[in-house]
């Protein structure tokens, strides 16, 4: 399983951070910070993606992600607590998630049922028209609580989170909310933002992992006997 926490490049000479307008691009999408880089990222085969804070400082970047990058990924691009306000046909603004709130999929080989979310830390410095909900409030939302109870079987939860492993209570809020409904189902938390290597066990079946920065480290998290545990839990429930 591959996940990607998106980060628009702020400019190092090897990116499209400050592109110029082109007559071949009448909608000027090539001139948006990160648009061309995202076309490169779209060539990779990620199972899950989530958003970071750098896409949210500039509204044109956030809108470009919503209009051009997210459609490529469908329900694999997750923004459980990040919205963008855009006009409807009648001109009224409506806040809507940039990506999907959550998704479910089966793993290729073992056909395990995975339920996934994509969460950003409580970032409040975004452009006008961007809304980020504190993860501690998000877990109390009806849609989130309903998602935890909508299915009778989950082999593992995966949370792609652009927030630090240490010193951030968003992970604890997510962990507690899931544990209220699923006491022992594995929770794989893939963290980020602070550009450090960090790892924390929240209980015997839940781990948060942050894998450094700029691909200097490849993070690897493994869970064993998931299908065995799921079979025995279901048998006990019946």
């Amino acid at each position: 399983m591959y996940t990607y926490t998106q980060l628009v490049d702020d400019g190092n000479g090897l990116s499209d951070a400050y592109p110029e307008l082109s007559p071949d691009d009448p909608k000027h999408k090539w001139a948006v910070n990160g648009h061309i880089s995202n076309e490169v990222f779209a060539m990779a085969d990620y199972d899950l993606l989530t958003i970071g804070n750098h896409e949210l400082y500039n509204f044109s970047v956030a809108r470009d992600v919503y209009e051009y990058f997210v459609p490529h990924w469908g329900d694999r691009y997750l923004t459980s607590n990040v919205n963008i306000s855009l006009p409807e046909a009648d001109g009224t603004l409506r806040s809507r998630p940039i990506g999907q709130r959550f998704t479910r999929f089966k793993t290729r080989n073992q056909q395990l049922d995975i339920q996934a979310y994509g969460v950003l830390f409580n970032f409040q410095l975004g452009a006008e028209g961007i809304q980020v909900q504190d993860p501690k409030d998000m877990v109390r939302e009806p849609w989130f609580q309903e998602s935890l109870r909508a299915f009778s079987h989950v082999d593992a939860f995966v949370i792609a989170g652009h927030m630090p492993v240490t010193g951030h209570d968003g992970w604890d809020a997510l962990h507690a909310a899931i544990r209220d409904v699923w006491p022992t189902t594995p929770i794989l938390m893939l963290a980020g933002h602070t550009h450090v290597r960090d790892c924390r066990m929240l209980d015997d079946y839940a781990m948060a992992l942050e894998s450094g920065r700029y691909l200097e480290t490849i993070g690897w998290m493994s869970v064993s006997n998931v299908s065995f545990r799921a079979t025995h839990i279901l048998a006990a429930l019946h």
Side-chain angles (χ1 to χ4, degrees):
M1 182 187 303
Y2 301 93
T3 64
Y4 164 57
T5 299
Q6 188 184 356
L7 175 64
V8 172
D9 197 326
D10 283 333
N12 58 10
L14 300 174
S15 71
D16 59 329
Y18 302 101
E20 297 180 355
L21 297 178
S22 168
D24 298 324
D25 177 31
K27 292 186 177 181
H28 304 315
K29 60 181 184 293
W30 296 348
V32 175
N33 181 359
H35 180 89
I36 295 175
S37 296
N38 279 344
E39 291 182 340
V40 176
F41 294 137
M43 297 178 185
D45 185 18
Y46 292 104
D47 295 301
L48 297 172
L49 303 90
T50 193
I51 203 163
N53 54 296
H54 282 255
E55 295 87 300
L56 305 179
Y57 291 106
N58 187 309
F59 187 82
S60 66
V61 173
R63 182 165 186 165
D64 186 80
V65 169
Y66 175 81
E67 292 182 342
Y68 295 105
F69 194 58
V70 171
H72 173 79
W73 301 101
D75 64 358
R76 288 184 285 172
Y77 194 99
L78 304 175
T79 57
S80 302
N81 65 328
V82 183
N83 278 25
I84 186 170
S85 291
L86 293 170
E88 298 284 14
D90 62 1
T92 59
L93 288 176
R94 181 173 70 86
S95 177
R96 78 284 308 275
I98 291 179
Q100 294 290 312
R101 294 281 195 211
F102 77 102
T103 192
R104 284 175 61 90
F105 63 94
K106 286 185 179 291
T107 59
R108 183 178 303 170
N109 295 325
Q110 297 188 53
Q111 295 295 295
L112 300 175
D113 289 309
I114 306 299
Q115 188 155 316
Y117 302 86
V119 182
L120 177 64
F121 69 96
N122 187 24
F123 174 69
Q124 298 301 318
L125 298 176
E128 184 178 355
I130 301 298
Q131 302 86 41
V132 178
Q133 187 177 31
D134 190 323
K136 299 193 301 295
D137 297 326
M138 183 204 76
V139 298
R140 294 194 291 267
E141 289 285 344
W143 75 262
F144 185 82
Q145 291 295 322
E146 290 167 7
S147 75
L148 294 178
R149 295 166 172 82
F151 304 94
S152 61
H153 180 64
V154 180
D155 287 312
F157 289 92
V158 176
I159 305 172
H162 193 86
M163 55 185 177
V165 166
T166 301
H168 196 282
D169 52 11
W171 288 119
D172 298 291
L174 285 158
H175 173 258
I178 294 172
R179 282 289 173 257
D180 281 345
V181 184
W182 300 88
T184 60
T185 300
I187 308 173
L188 290 72
M189 303 175 177
L190 306 175
H193 182 64
T194 46
H195 296 186
V196 299
R197 302 184 188 101
D198 200 358
C199 184
R200 179 161 66 104
M201 292 290 295
L202 284 83
D203 63 34
D204 289 343
Y205 307 106
M207 175 183 283
L209 176 69
E210 187 173 356
S211 304
R213 60 179 181 175
Y214 312 144
L215 295 180
E216 67 182 6
T217 307
I218 303 298
W220 178 266
M221 185 186 298
S222 176
V223 182
S224 60
N225 297 323
V226 175
S227 57
F228 174 84
R229 289 184 64 261
T231 300
H232 282 256
I233 290 171
L234 284 175
L237 291 174
H238 287 84

